[in-house]
Structure formats: C-alpha cells, structure tokens
Amino acid sequence: MKIRKAVFPAAGLGTRFLPVTKAIPKEMLPLVDKPLIQYCVEEAIASGIEDIIIITGRGKTAIEDHFDTSKELEFLLEEKGKRDLLKMVRDISNLVKFSYTRQKEALGLGHAILCAKDLVGNEPFAVFLGDDIIDSEVPAMKQMIEVYKKYRHTVLAVQRVPKESISNYGVIKGEQVEDRIFKVSDMVEKPRAEDAPSDLAVIGRYVLTPDIFDYLENTRPGKLGEIQLTDAIKNMALRHPVYALEFEGDRYDAGDKLGFLKANVSFAMKRDDLKEEFIEFLKGLKL
Ligand code: UTP
C-alpha cells in the first residue's frame, strides 16, 4: 500500500529551548526564514505524501495559522504590489492537505501518535519529528519509503553517533541485511556508552505499519508517565520484522540550541542572497 499519510507530533513542550518555547512552538523557530516544520512538510511532499496530520497541543496555534490562508496579509501584499511575497505566502497554504488533532496533555511521543489513530486508519504511514532537519539530495523519507516498498514492514531512520553522545538517543541492535539496511532485534533508550548495542541511533523519521497502534495501546507509561514510541516498537520487533535505514544526508537536531545554531549557519551558507556577506561576517569573527 502506498504511504500517503504523515503524522507530525508537535505537542511536546520544548523544554530544551526555553524560554523562547514558552509562547512560541519549537516547530515554528526559523531556519533562516522558514519555520522548522515547513522544511519537514516540504520533505514529506517531495517523498509523495498527500495528507499531513499534525498533533498539536496548548500554545501551538501558530502552526495551524502558518499553513492556513491569511486573507489580511494577502490583501496587504496585493495592494503593495509585492507579487513574489504574495505567491510565497499563498504557496504555503496550498502545499498539501492538512488535518489537526490535539494531544490534551504531553504524555509522550507514543501517546501523541496514538492520537492520530482515527485519522490514519488502517494503512502504513510516515512520522516526522519536526525538529530533526535532514539536508539530503534524495529526501530522507523518500529513501525510507523505498525500503518500506521492498520489505513491507516498519522502517526506522538511524544515524551513526559518536560514543560520547550515544546516551542521548534510542539505539538499535540489528543485523545488517543490505548496504545501510538493518533488521532490528532490540532497541535501548538512552543507554550508557558502554551498554549501547551499536552506534546506530534512531532519529526523527519513521515509516510505521498500522499495527503499531495496538502496541501503543498496550504500552504502559514509563517513569515520567509518558508512553514511549520506542517501547511499542521494541515490542513490535519481537513479533514482526522491523528494519532500520542508515539514510544518506546531514541531520541537524534543531530542537537543541547547538544543533539549531549549526543548522542556521549551514543553511544560510547555501543561500545565494546571503552567502557572500555572511561568509565575510564569519571570517571577521575573532574565533
Ligand atoms: P522531544 O522530547 O524531542 O520534544 O519529543 P519536546 O518534548 O517538545 O522537547 P524537549 O525535550 O522538552 O526540549 C519528540 C517529538 O515528539 C513530540 C514533540 O513535539 C517532538 O516533535 N511530542 C513529545 C509530542 O507531540 N507529545 C509529547 O507528549 C511528547
């Protein structure tokens, strides 16, 4: 079955990025001049997704407004003859079909995905964590969908991570079945470096089969009262094959301050309208 739908859980509290995330959703922070979540929406569209389901929560209305039409702004831009800006603003709301549902309480990523159960229905779907930005020639989700098409089972995106930072991630134990493709037998959430089963860390892209909802419903909340997606996938891997793809591309954890700064610098460097002056500025810094 074709992967038509993508779920964007965006109801997290963004505590790593306080205070800015007190009133602004993390997903709306800009990479140069576009909110993080729009990069992911564009990746989804470039990967063939037709339907985007965003899980929002309190204080997240800016996301809905961003992908909606804005008649006042369009009128103003039209009056001022700003045709290019008008087109850009219109294009954003015409990108794809959006649906929204709310997670009333931030009870974890797994719980957020469960909130999309009715909207997803009985078909495989993609998941995007909007603060993981992947810069790649072939969109990362497209690479994953290719793997799904071949194996017809859940696919996780993984990235090799140095030992010092492995304890920030969920880490897979897996057997390599093809170049860059692994069959997952276990997953460990945030292991100590010496206990990590590999250096392959799970990052924010998934292709999930709909039976994940049964596993999520049967997953007990962890220590912090949150239902973890990792726990549900781990249980799934005991009964069904689960695959992982070491995707090709550069990934930035833009939900973290340092990752966000790195992403902004490298995306600015790629912009013809900014590159030259920006490089001059960087050269002038006393580093
Ligand atoms: P993170 O843990 O990275 O995001 O969750 P967070 O909770 O927003 O941020 P920090 O860690 O406090 O800084 C991964 C993804 O899951 C979503 C988040 O919005 C993010 O996209 N999420 C997390 C939910 O939608 N609901 C939750 O209850 C938890």
mmCIF file with all atom_site columns, all heavy atoms in Angstrom, residues 38 41 45 64-71 74 86-98 100:
data_model
loop_
_atom_site.group_PDB
_atom_site.id
_atom_site.type_symbol
_atom_site.label_atom_id
_atom_site.label_alt_id
_atom_site.label_comp_id
_atom_site.label_asym_id
_atom_site.label_entity_id
_atom_site.label_seq_id
_atom_site.pdbx_PDB_ins_code
_atom_site.Cartn_x
_atom_site.Cartn_y
_atom_site.Cartn_z
_atom_site.occupancy
_atom_site.B_iso_or_equiv
_atom_site.pdbx_formal_charge
_atom_site.auth_seq_id
_atom_site.auth_comp_id
_atom_site.auth_asym_id
_atom_site.auth_atom_id
_atom_site.pdbx_PDB_model_num
ATOM 1   N N   . GLN A 1 38  ? 8.192  23.589 8.335  1.00 0.00 ? 38  GLN A N   1
ATOM 2   C CA  . GLN A 1 38  ? 7.948  23.686 6.888  1.00 0.00 ? 38  GLN A CA  1
ATOM 3   C C   . GLN A 1 38  ? 8.988  22.898 6.084  1.00 0.00 ? 38  GLN A C   1
ATOM 4   O O   . GLN A 1 38  ? 8.668  22.323 5.041  1.00 0.00 ? 38  GLN A O   1
ATOM 5   C CB  . GLN A 1 38  ? 7.903  25.152 6.439  1.00 0.00 ? 38  GLN A CB  1
ATOM 6   C CG  . GLN A 1 38  ? 7.349  25.263 5.006  1.00 0.00 ? 38  GLN A CG  1
ATOM 7   C CD  . GLN A 1 38  ? 7.246  26.681 4.507  1.00 0.00 ? 38  GLN A CD  1
ATOM 8   O OE1 . GLN A 1 38  ? 7.098  27.620 5.297  1.00 0.00 ? 38  GLN A OE1 1
ATOM 9   N NE2 . GLN A 1 38  ? 7.323  26.865 3.200  1.00 0.00 ? 38  GLN A NE2 1
ATOM 10  N N   . VAL A 1 41  ? 7.628  19.475 6.162  1.00 0.00 ? 41  VAL A N   1
ATOM 11  C CA  . VAL A 1 41  ? 6.448  19.343 5.300  1.00 0.00 ? 41  VAL A CA  1
ATOM 12  C C   . VAL A 1 41  ? 6.906  19.251 3.839  1.00 0.00 ? 41  VAL A C   1
ATOM 13  O O   . VAL A 1 41  ? 6.410  18.425 3.067  1.00 0.00 ? 41  VAL A O   1
ATOM 14  C CB  . VAL A 1 41  ? 5.480  20.537 5.521  1.00 0.00 ? 41  VAL A CB  1
ATOM 15  C CG1 . VAL A 1 41  ? 4.449  20.632 4.408  1.00 0.00 ? 41  VAL A CG1 1
ATOM 16  C CG2 . VAL A 1 41  ? 4.781  20.401 6.878  1.00 0.00 ? 41  VAL A CG2 1
ATOM 17  N N   . ILE A 1 45  ? 6.243  16.186 1.180  1.00 0.00 ? 45  ILE A N   1
ATOM 18  C CA  . ILE A 1 45  ? 5.636  16.325 -0.146 1.00 0.00 ? 45  ILE A CA  1
ATOM 19  C C   . ILE A 1 45  ? 6.567  15.754 -1.219 1.00 0.00 ? 45  ILE A C   1
ATOM 20  O O   . ILE A 1 45  ? 6.148  15.012 -2.105 1.00 0.00 ? 45  ILE A O   1
ATOM 21  C CB  . ILE A 1 45  ? 5.306  17.809 -0.437 1.00 0.00 ? 45  ILE A CB  1
ATOM 22  C CG1 . ILE A 1 45  ? 4.238  18.288 0.551  1.00 0.00 ? 45  ILE A CG1 1
ATOM 23  C CG2 . ILE A 1 45  ? 4.837  18.005 -1.867 1.00 0.00 ? 45  ILE A CG2 1
ATOM 24  C CD1 . ILE A 1 45  ? 4.036  19.781 0.566  1.00 0.00 ? 45  ILE A CD1 1
ATOM 25  N N   . GLU A 1 64  ? -0.935 26.024 13.022 1.00 0.00 ? 64  GLU A N   1
ATOM 26  C CA  . GLU A 1 64  ? -2.137 25.992 12.174 1.00 0.00 ? 64  GLU A CA  1
ATOM 27  C C   . GLU A 1 64  ? -2.239 27.267 11.342 1.00 0.00 ? 64  GLU A C   1
ATOM 28  O O   . GLU A 1 64  ? -2.538 27.215 10.155 1.00 0.00 ? 64  GLU A O   1
ATOM 29  C CB  . GLU A 1 64  ? -3.389 25.821 13.040 1.00 0.00 ? 64  GLU A CB  1
ATOM 30  C CG  . GLU A 1 64  ? -3.449 24.423 13.624 1.00 0.00 ? 64  GLU A CG  1
ATOM 31  C CD  . GLU A 1 64  ? -4.427 24.306 14.777 1.00 0.00 ? 64  GLU A CD  1
ATOM 32  O OE1 . GLU A 1 64  ? -5.627 24.503 14.547 1.00 0.00 ? 64  GLU A OE1 1
ATOM 33  O OE2 . GLU A 1 64  ? -3.979 24.008 15.899 1.00 0.00 ? 64  GLU A OE2 1
ATOM 34  N N   . ASP A 1 65  ? -1.958 28.402 11.986 1.00 0.00 ? 65  ASP A N   1
ATOM 35  C CA  . ASP A 1 65  ? -2.041 29.676 11.251 1.00 0.00 ? 65  ASP A CA  1
ATOM 36  C C   . ASP A 1 65  ? -1.039 29.710 10.099 1.00 0.00 ? 65  ASP A C   1
ATOM 37  O O   . ASP A 1 65  ? -1.324 30.230 9.027  1.00 0.00 ? 65  ASP A O   1
ATOM 38  C CB  . ASP A 1 65  ? -1.757 30.866 12.191 1.00 0.00 ? 65  ASP A CB  1
ATOM 39  C CG  . ASP A 1 65  ? -2.891 31.073 13.182 1.00 0.00 ? 65  ASP A CG  1
ATOM 40  O OD1 . ASP A 1 65  ? -3.999 30.561 12.922 1.00 0.00 ? 65  ASP A OD1 1
ATOM 41  O OD2 . ASP A 1 65  ? -2.654 31.714 14.218 1.00 0.00 ? 65  ASP A OD2 1
ATOM 42  N N   . HIS A 1 66  ? 0.145  29.129 10.335 1.00 0.00 ? 66  HIS A N   1
ATOM 43  C CA  . HIS A 1 66  ? 1.183  29.180 9.303  1.00 0.00 ? 66  HIS A CA  1
ATOM 44  C C   . HIS A 1 66  ? 0.755  28.469 8.020  1.00 0.00 ? 66  HIS A C   1
ATOM 45  O O   . HIS A 1 66  ? 1.035  28.938 6.918  1.00 0.00 ? 66  HIS A O   1
ATOM 46  C CB  . HIS A 1 66  ? 2.483  28.570 9.834  1.00 0.00 ? 66  HIS A CB  1
ATOM 47  C CG  . HIS A 1 66  ? 3.599  28.640 8.844  1.00 0.00 ? 66  HIS A CG  1
ATOM 48  N ND1 . HIS A 1 66  ? 4.221  29.811 8.509  1.00 0.00 ? 66  HIS A ND1 1
ATOM 49  C CD2 . HIS A 1 66  ? 4.188  27.678 8.074  1.00 0.00 ? 66  HIS A CD2 1
ATOM 50  C CE1 . HIS A 1 66  ? 5.146  29.578 7.597  1.00 0.00 ? 66  HIS A CE1 1
ATOM 51  N NE2 . HIS A 1 66  ? 5.132  28.292 7.313  1.00 0.00 ? 66  HIS A NE2 1
ATOM 52  N N   . PHE A 1 67  ? 0.058  27.340 8.171  1.00 0.00 ? 67  PHE A N   1
ATOM 53  C CA  . PHE A 1 67  ? -0.312 26.571 6.982  1.00 0.00 ? 67  PHE A CA  1
ATOM 54  C C   . PHE A 1 67  ? -1.720 26.903 6.485  1.00 0.00 ? 67  PHE A C   1
ATOM 55  O O   . PHE A 1 67  ? -2.248 26.232 5.619  1.00 0.00 ? 67  PHE A O   1
ATOM 56  C CB  . PHE A 1 67  ? -0.175 25.065 7.261  1.00 0.00 ? 67  PHE A CB  1
ATOM 57  C CG  . PHE A 1 67  ? 1.259  24.637 7.450  1.00 0.00 ? 67  PHE A CG  1
ATOM 58  C CD1 . PHE A 1 67  ? 1.717  24.182 8.675  1.00 0.00 ? 67  PHE A CD1 1
ATOM 59  C CD2 . PHE A 1 67  ? 2.166  24.722 6.399  1.00 0.00 ? 67  PHE A CD2 1
ATOM 60  C CE1 . PHE A 1 67  ? 3.040  23.797 8.849  1.00 0.00 ? 67  PHE A CE1 1
ATOM 61  C CE2 . PHE A 1 67  ? 3.494  24.349 6.568  1.00 0.00 ? 67  PHE A CE2 1
ATOM 62  C CZ  . PHE A 1 67  ? 3.936  23.885 7.790  1.00 0.00 ? 67  PHE A CZ  1
ATOM 63  N N   . ASP A 1 68  ? -2.309 27.949 7.067  1.00 0.00 ? 68  ASP A N   1
ATOM 64  C CA  . ASP A 1 68  ? -3.657 28.353 6.671  1.00 0.00 ? 68  ASP A CA  1
ATOM 65  C C   . ASP A 1 68  ? -3.556 29.544 5.716  1.00 0.00 ? 68  ASP A C   1
ATOM 66  O O   . ASP A 1 68  ? -2.492 30.138 5.564  1.00 0.00 ? 68  ASP A O   1
ATOM 67  C CB  . ASP A 1 68  ? -4.411 28.767 7.952  1.00 0.00 ? 68  ASP A CB  1
ATOM 68  C CG  . ASP A 1 68  ? -5.904 28.690 7.770  1.00 0.00 ? 68  ASP A CG  1
ATOM 69  O OD1 . ASP A 1 68  ? -6.359 28.409 6.647  1.00 0.00 ? 68  ASP A OD1 1
ATOM 70  O OD2 . ASP A 1 68  ? -6.612 28.930 8.760  1.00 0.00 ? 68  ASP A OD2 1
ATOM 71  N N   . THR A 1 69  ? -4.685 29.916 5.099  1.00 0.00 ? 69  THR A N   1
ATOM 72  C CA  . THR A 1 69  ? -4.647 31.135 4.290  1.00 0.00 ? 69  THR A CA  1
ATOM 73  C C   . THR A 1 69  ? -4.685 32.339 5.231  1.00 0.00 ? 69  THR A C   1
ATOM 74  O O   . THR A 1 69  ? -5.208 32.252 6.332  1.00 0.00 ? 69  THR A O   1
ATOM 75  C CB  . THR A 1 69  ? -5.871 31.237 3.341  1.00 0.00 ? 69  THR A CB  1
ATOM 76  O OG1 . THR A 1 69  ? -7.014 30.893 4.104  1.00 0.00 ? 69  THR A OG1 1
ATOM 77  C CG2 . THR A 1 69  ? -5.744 30.329 2.159  1.00 0.00 ? 69  THR A CG2 1
ATOM 78  N N   . SER A 1 70  ? -4.131 33.456 4.774  1.00 0.00 ? 70  SER A N   1
ATOM 79  C CA  . SER A 1 70  ? -4.130 34.658 5.592  1.00 0.00 ? 70  SER A CA  1
ATOM 80  C C   . SER A 1 70  ? -4.617 35.798 4.710  1.00 0.00 ? 70  SER A C   1
ATOM 81  O O   . SER A 1 70  ? -3.838 36.465 4.036  1.00 0.00 ? 70  SER A O   1
ATOM 82  C CB  . SER A 1 70  ? -2.709 34.915 6.096  1.00 0.00 ? 70  SER A CB  1
ATOM 83  O OG  . SER A 1 70  ? -2.664 36.154 6.731  1.00 0.00 ? 70  SER A OG  1
ATOM 84  N N   . LYS A 1 71  ? -5.938 35.981 4.704  1.00 0.00 ? 71  LYS A N   1
ATOM 85  C CA  . LYS A 1 71  ? -6.548 36.939 3.768  1.00 0.00 ? 71  LYS A CA  1
ATOM 86  C C   . LYS A 1 71  ? -6.021 38.366 3.971  1.00 0.00 ? 71  LYS A C   1
ATOM 87  O O   . LYS A 1 71  ? -5.750 39.069 3.010  1.00 0.00 ? 71  LYS A O   1
ATOM 88  C CB  . LYS A 1 71  ? -8.077 36.919 3.917  1.00 0.00 ? 71  LYS A CB  1
ATOM 89  C CG  . LYS A 1 71  ? -8.703 35.641 3.359  1.00 0.00 ? 71  LYS A CG  1
ATOM 90  C CD  . LYS A 1 71  ? -8.579 35.555 1.833  1.00 0.00 ? 71  LYS A CD  1
ATOM 91  C CE  . LYS A 1 71  ? -8.929 34.168 1.343  1.00 0.00 ? 71  LYS A CE  1
ATOM 92  N NZ  . LYS A 1 71  ? -8.126 33.696 0.226  1.00 0.00 ? 71  LYS A NZ  1
ATOM 93  N N   . GLU A 1 74  ? -2.524 38.626 2.562  1.00 0.00 ? 74  GLU A N   1
ATOM 94  C CA  . GLU A 1 74  ? -2.561 38.536 1.098  1.00 0.00 ? 74  GLU A CA  1
ATOM 95  C C   . GLU A 1 74  ? -3.068 39.848 0.499  1.00 0.00 ? 74  GLU A C   1
ATOM 96  O O   . GLU A 1 74  ? -2.530 40.339 -0.493 1.00 0.00 ? 74  GLU A O   1
ATOM 97  C CB  . GLU A 1 74  ? -3.448 37.364 0.657  1.00 0.00 ? 74  GLU A CB  1
ATOM 98  C CG  . GLU A 1 74  ? -2.783 36.022 0.929  1.00 0.00 ? 74  GLU A CG  1
ATOM 99  C CD  . GLU A 1 74  ? -3.628 34.822 0.533  1.00 0.00 ? 74  GLU A CD  1
ATOM 100 O OE1 . GLU A 1 74  ? -4.500 34.960 -0.345 1.00 0.00 ? 74  GLU A OE1 1
ATOM 101 O OE2 . GLU A 1 74  ? -3.419 33.746 1.119  1.00 0.00 ? 74  GLU A OE2 1
ATOM 102 N N   . LEU A 1 86  ? 3.564  37.581 -2.187 1.00 0.00 ? 86  LEU A N   1
ATOM 103 C CA  . LEU A 1 86  ? 2.184  37.094 -2.220 1.00 0.00 ? 86  LEU A CA  1
ATOM 104 C C   . LEU A 1 86  ? 2.154  35.636 -2.675 1.00 0.00 ? 86  LEU A C   1
ATOM 105 O O   . LEU A 1 86  ? 1.492  34.787 -2.079 1.00 0.00 ? 86  LEU A O   1
ATOM 106 C CB  . LEU A 1 86  ? 1.359  37.966 -3.176 1.00 0.00 ? 86  LEU A CB  1
ATOM 107 C CG  . LEU A 1 86  ? -0.111 37.597 -3.316 1.00 0.00 ? 86  LEU A CG  1
ATOM 108 C CD1 . LEU A 1 86  ? -0.847 37.769 -1.994 1.00 0.00 ? 86  LEU A CD1 1
ATOM 109 C CD2 . LEU A 1 86  ? -0.795 38.465 -4.385 1.00 0.00 ? 86  LEU A CD2 1
ATOM 110 N N   . LYS A 1 87  ? 2.930  35.344 -3.705 1.00 0.00 ? 87  LYS A N   1
ATOM 111 C CA  . LYS A 1 87  ? 2.968  33.970 -4.217 1.00 0.00 ? 87  LYS A CA  1
ATOM 112 C C   . LYS A 1 87  ? 3.517  33.028 -3.138 1.00 0.00 ? 87  LYS A C   1
ATOM 113 O O   . LYS A 1 87  ? 2.973  31.957 -2.887 1.00 0.00 ? 87  LYS A O   1
ATOM 114 C CB  . LYS A 1 87  ? 3.846  33.905 -5.473 1.00 0.00 ? 87  LYS A CB  1
ATOM 115 C CG  . LYS A 1 87  ? 3.883  32.508 -6.055 1.00 0.00 ? 87  LYS A CG  1
ATOM 116 C CD  . LYS A 1 87  ? 4.668  32.435 -7.356 1.00 0.00 ? 87  LYS A CD  1
ATOM 117 C CE  . LYS A 1 87  ? 4.718  31.027 -7.914 1.00 0.00 ? 87  LYS A CE  1
ATOM 118 N NZ  . LYS A 1 87  ? 5.082  29.978 -6.990 1.00 0.00 ? 87  LYS A NZ  1
ATOM 119 N N   . MET A 1 88  ? 4.573  33.484 -2.461 1.00 0.00 ? 88  MET A N   1
ATOM 120 C CA  . MET A 1 88  ? 5.196  32.632 -1.438 1.00 0.00 ? 88  MET A CA  1
ATOM 121 C C   . MET A 1 88  ? 4.187  32.319 -0.323 1.00 0.00 ? 88  MET A C   1
ATOM 122 O O   . MET A 1 88  ? 4.036  31.174 0.093  1.00 0.00 ? 88  MET A O   1
ATOM 123 C CB  . MET A 1 88  ? 6.413  33.354 -0.864 1.00 0.00 ? 88  MET A CB  1
ATOM 124 C CG  . MET A 1 88  ? 7.223  32.479 0.054  1.00 0.00 ? 88  MET A CG  1
ATOM 125 S SD  . MET A 1 88  ? 7.905  33.396 1.385  1.00 0.00 ? 88  MET A SD  1
ATOM 126 C CE  . MET A 1 88  ? 9.165  34.339 0.655  1.00 0.00 ? 88  MET A CE  1
ATOM 127 N N   . VAL A 1 89  ? 3.483  33.354 0.113  1.00 0.00 ? 89  VAL A N   1
ATOM 128 C CA  . VAL A 1 89  ? 2.519  33.175 1.207  1.00 0.00 ? 89  VAL A CA  1
ATOM 129 C C   . VAL A 1 89  ? 1.376  32.252 0.768  1.00 0.00 ? 89  VAL A C   1
ATOM 130 O O   . VAL A 1 89  ? 0.940  31.377 1.506  1.00 0.00 ? 89  VAL A O   1
ATOM 131 C CB  . VAL A 1 89  ? 1.997  34.567 1.657  1.00 0.00 ? 89  VAL A CB  1
ATOM 132 C CG1 . VAL A 1 89  ? 0.745  34.450 2.480  1.00 0.00 ? 89  VAL A CG1 1
ATOM 133 C CG2 . VAL A 1 89  ? 3.083  35.270 2.453  1.00 0.00 ? 89  VAL A CG2 1
ATOM 134 N N   . ARG A 1 90  ? 0.921  32.428 -0.485 1.00 0.00 ? 90  ARG A N   1
ATOM 135 C CA  . ARG A 1 90  ? -0.172 31.566 -0.976 1.00 0.00 ? 90  ARG A CA  1
ATOM 136 C C   . ARG A 1 90  ? 0.299  30.132 -1.123 1.00 0.00 ? 90  ARG A C   1
ATOM 137 O O   . ARG A 1 90  ? -0.432 29.200 -0.788 1.00 0.00 ? 90  ARG A O   1
ATOM 138 C CB  . ARG A 1 90  ? -0.670 32.069 -2.330 1.00 0.00 ? 90  ARG A CB  1
ATOM 139 C CG  . ARG A 1 90  ? -1.606 33.223 -2.167 1.00 0.00 ? 90  ARG A CG  1
ATOM 140 C CD  . ARG A 1 90  ? -2.414 33.472 -3.439 1.00 0.00 ? 90  ARG A CD  1
ATOM 141 N NE  . ARG A 1 90  ? -3.354 34.549 -3.204 1.00 0.00 ? 90  ARG A NE  1
ATOM 142 C CZ  . ARG A 1 90  ? -3.574 35.532 -4.064 1.00 0.00 ? 90  ARG A CZ  1
ATOM 143 N NH1 . ARG A 1 90  ? -2.945 35.575 -5.218 1.00 0.00 ? 90  ARG A NH1 1
ATOM 144 N NH2 . ARG A 1 90  ? -4.441 36.468 -3.758 1.00 0.00 ? 90  ARG A NH2 1
ATOM 145 N N   . ASP A 1 91  ? 1.508  29.967 -1.628 1.00 0.00 ? 91  ASP A N   1
ATOM 146 C CA  . ASP A 1 91  ? 2.033  28.606 -1.859 1.00 0.00 ? 91  ASP A CA  1
ATOM 147 C C   . ASP A 1 91  ? 2.057  27.805 -0.558 1.00 0.00 ? 91  ASP A C   1
ATOM 148 O O   . ASP A 1 91  ? 1.790  26.613 -0.565 1.00 0.00 ? 91  ASP A O   1
ATOM 149 C CB  . ASP A 1 91  ? 3.456  28.648 -2.441 1.00 0.00 ? 91  ASP A CB  1
ATOM 150 C CG  . ASP A 1 91  ? 3.432  29.036 -3.912 1.00 0.00 ? 91  ASP A CG  1
ATOM 151 O OD1 . ASP A 1 91  ? 2.323  29.084 -4.474 1.00 0.00 ? 91  ASP A OD1 1
ATOM 152 O OD2 . ASP A 1 91  ? 4.510  29.294 -4.484 1.00 0.00 ? 91  ASP A OD2 1
ATOM 153 N N   . ILE A 1 92  ? 2.386  28.462 0.550  1.00 0.00 ? 92  ILE A N   1
ATOM 154 C CA  . ILE A 1 92  ? 2.497  27.734 1.826  1.00 0.00 ? 92  ILE A CA  1
ATOM 155 C C   . ILE A 1 92  ? 1.149  27.087 2.175  1.00 0.00 ? 92  ILE A C   1
ATOM 156 O O   . ILE A 1 92  ? 1.092  25.921 2.537  1.00 0.00 ? 92  ILE A O   1
ATOM 157 C CB  . ILE A 1 92  ? 2.945  28.676 2.972  1.00 0.00 ? 92  ILE A CB  1
ATOM 158 C CG1 . ILE A 1 92  ? 4.363  29.152 2.713  1.00 0.00 ? 92  ILE A CG1 1
ATOM 159 C CG2 . ILE A 1 92  ? 2.856  27.973 4.331  1.00 0.00 ? 92  ILE A CG2 1
ATOM 160 C CD1 . ILE A 1 92  ? 4.831  30.259 3.639  1.00 0.00 ? 92  ILE A CD1 1
ATOM 161 N N   . SER A 1 93  ? 0.064  27.845 2.002  1.00 0.00 ? 93  SER A N   1
ATOM 162 C CA  . SER A 1 93  ? -1.219 27.255 2.408  1.00 0.00 ? 93  SER A CA  1
ATOM 163 C C   . SER A 1 93  ? -1.742 26.254 1.386  1.00 0.00 ? 93  SER A C   1
ATOM 164 O O   . SER A 1 93  ? -2.658 25.499 1.665  1.00 0.00 ? 93  SER A O   1
ATOM 165 C CB  . SER A 1 93  ? -2.240 28.350 2.710  1.00 0.00 ? 93  SER A CB  1
ATOM 166 O OG  . SER A 1 93  ? -2.393 29.171 1.595  1.00 0.00 ? 93  SER A OG  1
ATOM 167 N N   . ASN A 1 94  ? -1.140 26.260 0.191  1.00 0.00 ? 94  ASN A N   1
ATOM 168 C CA  . ASN A 1 94  ? -1.606 25.301 -0.821 1.00 0.00 ? 94  ASN A CA  1
ATOM 169 C C   . ASN A 1 94  ? -0.720 24.070 -0.910 1.00 0.00 ? 94  ASN A C   1
ATOM 170 O O   . ASN A 1 94  ? -0.852 23.268 -1.835 1.00 0.00 ? 94  ASN A O   1
ATOM 171 C CB  . ASN A 1 94  ? -1.643 25.981 -2.199 1.00 0.00 ? 94  ASN A CB  1
ATOM 172 C CG  . ASN A 1 94  ? -2.717 27.042 -2.250 1.00 0.00 ? 94  ASN A CG  1
ATOM 173 O OD1 . ASN A 1 94  ? -3.720 26.932 -1.557 1.00 0.00 ? 94  ASN A OD1 1
ATOM 174 N ND2 . ASN A 1 94  ? -2.505 28.083 -3.043 1.00 0.00 ? 94  ASN A ND2 1
ATOM 175 N N   . LEU A 1 95  ? 0.219  23.939 0.024  1.00 0.00 ? 95  LEU A N   1
ATOM 176 C CA  . LEU A 1 95  ? 1.227  22.877 -0.111 1.00 0.00 ? 95  LEU A CA  1
ATOM 177 C C   . LEU A 1 95  ? 0.608  21.481 -0.233 1.00 0.00 ? 95  LEU A C   1
ATOM 178 O O   . LEU A 1 95  ? 0.982  20.696 -1.080 1.00 0.00 ? 95  LEU A O   1
ATOM 179 C CB  . LEU A 1 95  ? 2.161  22.892 1.108  1.00 0.00 ? 95  LEU A CB  1
ATOM 180 C CG  . LEU A 1 95  ? 3.273  23.943 1.120  1.00 0.00 ? 95  LEU A CG  1
ATOM 181 C CD1 . LEU A 1 95  ? 4.012  23.937 2.455  1.00 0.00 ? 95  LEU A CD1 1
ATOM 182 C CD2 . LEU A 1 95  ? 4.259  23.696 -0.014 1.00 0.00 ? 95  LEU A CD2 1
ATOM 183 N N   . VAL A 1 96  ? -0.333 21.162 0.634  1.00 0.00 ? 96  VAL A N   1
ATOM 184 C CA  . VAL A 1 96  ? -0.827 19.797 0.749  1.00 0.00 ? 96  VAL A CA  1
ATOM 185 C C   . VAL A 1 96  ? -2.063 19.840 1.641  1.00 0.00 ? 96  VAL A C   1
ATOM 186 O O   . VAL A 1 96  ? -2.404 20.899 2.170  1.00 0.00 ? 96  VAL A O   1
ATOM 187 C CB  . VAL A 1 96  ? 0.330  18.934 1.357  1.00 0.00 ? 96  VAL A CB  1
ATOM 188 C CG1 . VAL A 1 96  ? 0.594  19.273 2.791  1.00 0.00 ? 96  VAL A CG1 1
ATOM 189 C CG2 . VAL A 1 96  ? 0.138  17.457 1.196  1.00 0.00 ? 96  VAL A CG2 1
ATOM 190 N N   . LYS A 1 97  ? -2.725 18.721 1.840  1.00 0.00 ? 97  LYS A N   1
ATOM 191 C CA  . LYS A 1 97  ? -3.900 18.727 2.737  1.00 0.00 ? 97  LYS A CA  1
ATOM 192 C C   . LYS A 1 97  ? -3.440 18.573 4.191  1.00 0.00 ? 97  LYS A C   1
ATOM 193 O O   . LYS A 1 97  ? -2.664 17.664 4.498  1.00 0.00 ? 97  LYS A O   1
ATOM 194 C CB  . LYS A 1 97  ? -4.825 17.581 2.351  1.00 0.00 ? 97  LYS A CB  1
ATOM 195 C CG  . LYS A 1 97  ? -6.014 17.468 3.243  1.00 0.00 ? 97  LYS A CG  1
ATOM 196 C CD  . LYS A 1 97  ? -6.993 16.411 2.779  1.00 0.00 ? 97  LYS A CD  1
ATOM 197 C CE  . LYS A 1 97  ? -8.064 16.225 3.821  1.00 0.00 ? 97  LYS A CE  1
ATOM 198 N NZ  . LYS A 1 97  ? -8.003 14.953 4.506  1.00 0.00 ? 97  LYS A NZ  1
ATOM 199 N N   . PHE A 1 98  ? -3.905 19.449 5.062  1.00 0.00 ? 98  PHE A N   1
ATOM 200 C CA  . PHE A 1 98  ? -3.536 19.378 6.485  1.00 0.00 ? 98  PHE A CA  1
ATOM 201 C C   . PHE A 1 98  ? -4.736 19.011 7.338  1.00 0.00 ? 98  PHE A C   1
ATOM 202 O O   . PHE A 1 98  ? -5.841 19.521 7.110  1.00 0.00 ? 98  PHE A O   1
ATOM 203 C CB  . PHE A 1 98  ? -3.022 20.736 6.981  1.00 0.00 ? 98  PHE A CB  1
ATOM 204 C CG  . PHE A 1 98  ? -1.703 21.132 6.382  1.00 0.00 ? 98  PHE A CG  1
ATOM 205 C CD1 . PHE A 1 98  ? -1.650 21.975 5.273  1.00 0.00 ? 98  PHE A CD1 1
ATOM 206 C CD2 . PHE A 1 98  ? -0.514 20.671 6.924  1.00 0.00 ? 98  PHE A CD2 1
ATOM 207 C CE1 . PHE A 1 98  ? -0.431 22.340 4.717  1.00 0.00 ? 98  PHE A CE1 1
ATOM 208 C CE2 . PHE A 1 98  ? 0.703  21.031 6.373  1.00 0.00 ? 98  PHE A CE2 1
ATOM 209 C CZ  . PHE A 1 98  ? 0.749  21.860 5.267  1.00 0.00 ? 98  PHE A CZ  1
ATOM 210 N N   . TYR A 1 100 ? -5.630 18.473 11.700 1.00 0.00 ? 100 TYR A N   1
ATOM 211 C CA  . TYR A 1 100 ? -5.045 18.688 13.030 1.00 0.00 ? 100 TYR A CA  1
ATOM 212 C C   . TYR A 1 100 ? -5.831 17.927 14.077 1.00 0.00 ? 100 TYR A C   1
ATOM 213 O O   . TYR A 1 100 ? -7.055 17.809 13.977 1.00 0.00 ? 100 TYR A O   1
ATOM 214 C CB  . TYR A 1 100 ? -5.091 20.185 13.386 1.00 0.00 ? 100 TYR A CB  1
ATOM 215 C CG  . TYR A 1 100 ? -4.267 21.016 12.439 1.00 0.00 ? 100 TYR A CG  1
ATOM 216 C CD1 . TYR A 1 100 ? -4.824 21.547 11.278 1.00 0.00 ? 100 TYR A CD1 1
ATOM 217 C CD2 . TYR A 1 100 ? -2.916 21.239 12.688 1.00 0.00 ? 100 TYR A CD2 1
ATOM 218 C CE1 . TYR A 1 100 ? -4.062 22.287 10.387 1.00 0.00 ? 100 TYR A CE1 1
ATOM 219 C CE2 . TYR A 1 100 ? -2.150 21.982 11.805 1.00 0.00 ? 100 TYR A CE2 1
ATOM 220 C CZ  . TYR A 1 100 ? -2.723 22.500 10.658 1.00 0.00 ? 100 TYR A CZ  1
ATOM 221 O OH  . TYR A 1 100 ? -1.962 23.226 9.790  1.00 0.00 ? 100 TYR A OH  1
#
